[in-house]
Amino acid sequence: MMPTRADGAAFFAQNCVSCHGADGRGAGVAGRELSAKPTDLTTLSAQNGGEFPAARTLSYIYGDTRNSHLSRVMPEFGADMADDLVPVEIDGVLTPTPRELAGLLAYLESIQK
């Protein structure tokens, strides 16, 4: 069974709230201690011409830092999840994606403004 937005919300609550805040806007308690403010995750689509940047978001969360700024503060999640993959359509291509991150993508897309 494919992960849902609710699965992604649960993953977000366990792994992301401390920096990105409960609403995903970057105001988490731990994020206040970082030199660079965590990204406002509710504006990813707005910053990408109104289209949710699934490929770029997945790449960054998974651990590809080529498009990141300076040093990476966020943990890399991909290596620990490589054994449980589901097919997710990314830019028109079914892409093997860690189950937890597939749910997280669905959740993040749902909170866009």
Side-chain angles (χ1 to χ4, degrees):
M1 181 162 76
M2 288 295 290
T4 66
R5 180 178 88 64
D7 296 324
F11 181 88
F12 185 86
Q14 290 177 335
N15 296 282
C16 311
V17 166
S18 63
C19 291
H20 291 282
D23 62 1
R25 298 185 73 195
V29 175
R32 294 181 200 141
E33 304 298 319
L34 300 174
S35 58
K37 184 179 188 249
T39 300
D40 179 344
L41 300 174
T42 67
T43 63
L44 298 176
S45 291
Q47 295 173 17
N48 192 54
E51 180 101 13
F52 182 69
R56 190 171 68 228
T57 301
L58 178 61
S59 177
Y60 192 80
I61 294 168
Y62 195 73
D64 180 356
T65 59
R66 287 178 290 187
N67 294 321
S68 70
H69 61 282
L70 303 173
S71 64
R72 181 180 176 91
V73 175
M74 197 176 93
E76 294 179 19
F77 290 103
D80 295 335
M81 303 176 171
D83 292 334
D84 187 12
L85 304 176
V86 295
V88 174
E89 188 173 330
I90 305 286
D91 295 338
V93 176
L94 286 178
T95 304
T97 303
R99 180 175 300 281
E100 290 94 342
L101 298 187
L104 182 60
L105 280 178
Y107 173 70
L108 292 176
E109 188 168 12
S110 77
I111 64 170
Q112 298 306 295
K113 293 182 177 186

